[in-house]
Amino acid sequence: MSPGPVRPRRNTYRSRTRRLLEWHLAALLVAALVSMTALLVSYREVQISAGEMRTRGAPAVQGVAATQLALLRAHEEARTSVRKRIADVVGAGARYENQLAAADQGLSRLSDVQIDGDRGRGVLETVNGLLTSYSSSITPGAVKYVRDEPMQQEKFKEAETLLTRKGTGVVPRLDVLQGHQMARVDTLASMSPLRWTGWAVAELGLLAMALITLSALWTLRTRCGHSRDLCLLVSLLAVVFLATVPLIATSNTQDRLGAARDGLVLIEQQARNHADLAESQQDVTDTATGVRAGLAAQGWQSGIYYGALAAGALVVLLPAVGIGRHLNADYWRAG
């Protein structure tokens, strides 16, 4: 029996197998590039948000709350010194001076960490100007007019107006700044639709890679007689790592960001409690300590990013090596 008719069928079978492997290789490379780009960008964005929350967001919110309470307590201490006749001897008193110094320091730090951009810097410049006017009223009231009660009360009223007048006072202006900062904090702590899309693309791409890799292994076994390929098996393990570990790490970071946001909301509420200013100051300090602890940098998060980079390089290179080796040995060179 002549073998002539068999050869074209065999050649057609080999050609189809070659094209099938080439399709697997091309699909794997495209899926790897798309999914890795989406995964690395999405993972990095969440880590950047955590860093901004840790270094600027949380300190800024705490700074505004602490500054407001320090100013209100300084004013309260000045009035107390007058009421108890301490001002007759030492002026507004050491507690007033300490609280006013704390407020000045808070404003100085806020200029570096506030997260409301140019608008926030404008608010702080205005607040600093108002505080100068406030000092020009409160100091004479506590020192110069200690024996002129009507004038003293007038100066204290001027100072209180500068401090608390609705819309234009120091504390209301800081309230506005705090509102803008809390909006930014909410953005940092939330998964935006764009971030969700990035993770969806990454996970779907990795799922596609896993399925294509399994299909390539099946093709090599059934059509080429190769029971297994080490490069593709290692690549499959790398895909599983990429699909799970960075996602778990991101979920952990989002949980910490959510807890930090809740803590900062509590700080904002505590700053509005003026019934006992000393207690409110302590509450803000304690809550801020917990927020900072929850946002502390974790080295393993950065390690996962670099691990994902390495795994990404593997899922790009290993399929090219594994499938490319079989194509070169069985089809390209033979053809």
Side-chain angles (χ1 to χ4, degrees):
M1 185 175 181
S2 174
V6 178
R7 190 175 295 114
R9 191 178 303 119
R10 183 178 301 168
N11 289 339
T12 300
Y13 183 83
R14 286 172 55 83
S15 178
R16 288 177 179 174
T17 302
R18 185 194 68 190
R19 286 196 298 269
L20 187 59
L21 289 175
E22 289 172 342
W23 180 89
H24 279 87
L25 178 57
L28 281 171
L29 292 177
V30 171
L33 292 174
V34 171
S35 60
M36 286 310 305
T37 300
L39 185 146
L40 292 173
V41 170
S42 299
Y43 184 85
R44 195 62 174 170
E45 281 294 314
V46 173
Q47 301 308 312
I48 290 172
S49 293
E52 184 176 351
M53 182 79 88
R54 179 174 58 251
T55 59
R56 296 190 62 191
V61 171
Q62 180 199 1
V64 168
T67 299
Q68 288 176 313
L69 291 171
L71 287 171
L72 291 170
R73 191 173 175 194
H75 189 75
E76 181 183 77
E77 294 294 345
R79 295 189 69 88
T80 299
S81 69
V82 171
R83 187 172 65 253
K84 293 182 176 181
R85 313 294 299 180
I86 298 173
D88 294 355
V89 181
V90 296
R95 289 182 177 178
Y96 163 80
E97 296 291 347
N98 290 339
Q99 293 299 323
L100 194 60
D104 285 337
Q105 291 174 0
L107 286 173
S108 178
R109 287 192 295 269
L110 272 174
S111 64
D112 295 327
V113 300
Q114 62 87 20
I115 53 175
D116 195 29
D118 292 338
R119 182 173 55 185
R121 281 189 288 273
V123 170
L124 293 177
E125 289 174 2
T126 302
V127 165
N128 279 313
L130 289 172
L131 282 180
T132 300
S133 300
Y134 171 82
S135 297
S136 299
S137 296
I138 197 75
T139 301
V143 178
K144 183 177 180 180
Y145 299 110
V146 291
R147 301 190 184 281
D148 186 349
E149 187 172 345
M151 184 60 74
Q152 185 181 67
Q153 292 300 318
E154 179 65 25
K155 288 296 180 181
F156 268 87
K157 188 171 182 60
E158 288 178 5
E160 186 171 357
T161 298
L162 288 167
L163 196 62
T164 62
R165 182 168 52 195
K166 185 177 180 180
T168 59
V170 172
V171 173
R173 287 180 185 274
L174 289 175
D175 277 335
V176 172
L177 173 60
Q178 190 75 304
H180 294 156
Q181 293 192 145
M182 290 303 298
R184 176 59 180 164
V185 162
D186 190 63
T187 299
L188 291 173
S190 302
M191 284 287 284
S192 67
L194 186 60
R195 289 182 182 178
W196 279 114
T197 301
W199 276 107
V201 170
E203 292 297 320
L204 288 174
L206 291 168
L207 175 61
M209 282 197 69
L211 295 175
I212 296 169
T213 301
L214 291 172
S215 177
L217 288 168
W218 178 256
T219 300
L220 288 173
R221 180 176 181 178
T222 57
R223 288 177 169 259
C224 305
H226 302 290
S227 59
R228 67 179 62 88
D229 184 273
L230 183 60
C231 289
L232 290 180
L233 290 173
V234 174
S235 175
L236 186 60
L237 291 176
V239 168
V240 173
F241 168 84
L242 289 167
T244 55
V245 177
L247 188 60
I248 293 171
T250 296
S251 177
N252 175 272
T253 301
Q254 283 298 143
D255 288 343
R256 292 193 295 124
L257 285 172
R261 175 182 54 198
D262 294 342
L264 295 176
V265 169
L266 180 59
I267 286 175
E268 186 185 26
Q269 294 170 349
Q270 290 167 339
R272 297 180 186 276
N273 178 19
H274 302 160
D276 187 335
L277 293 171
E279 182 180 354
S280 295
Q281 285 180 309
Q282 187 60 51
D283 290 341
V284 166
T285 300
D286 293 343
T287 305
T289 299
V291 170
R292 286 196 301 272
L295 288 172
Q298 299 184 8
W300 62 271
Q301 296 277 16
S302 296
I304 288 175
Y305 177 77
Y306 293 111
L309 276 176
L314 290 179
V315 299
V316 172
L317 295 176
L318 289 179
V321 172
I323 298 178
R325 183 176 67 246
H326 294 298
L327 282 169
N328 186 57
D330 298 340
Y331 299 100
W332 292 339
R333 186 183 301 173

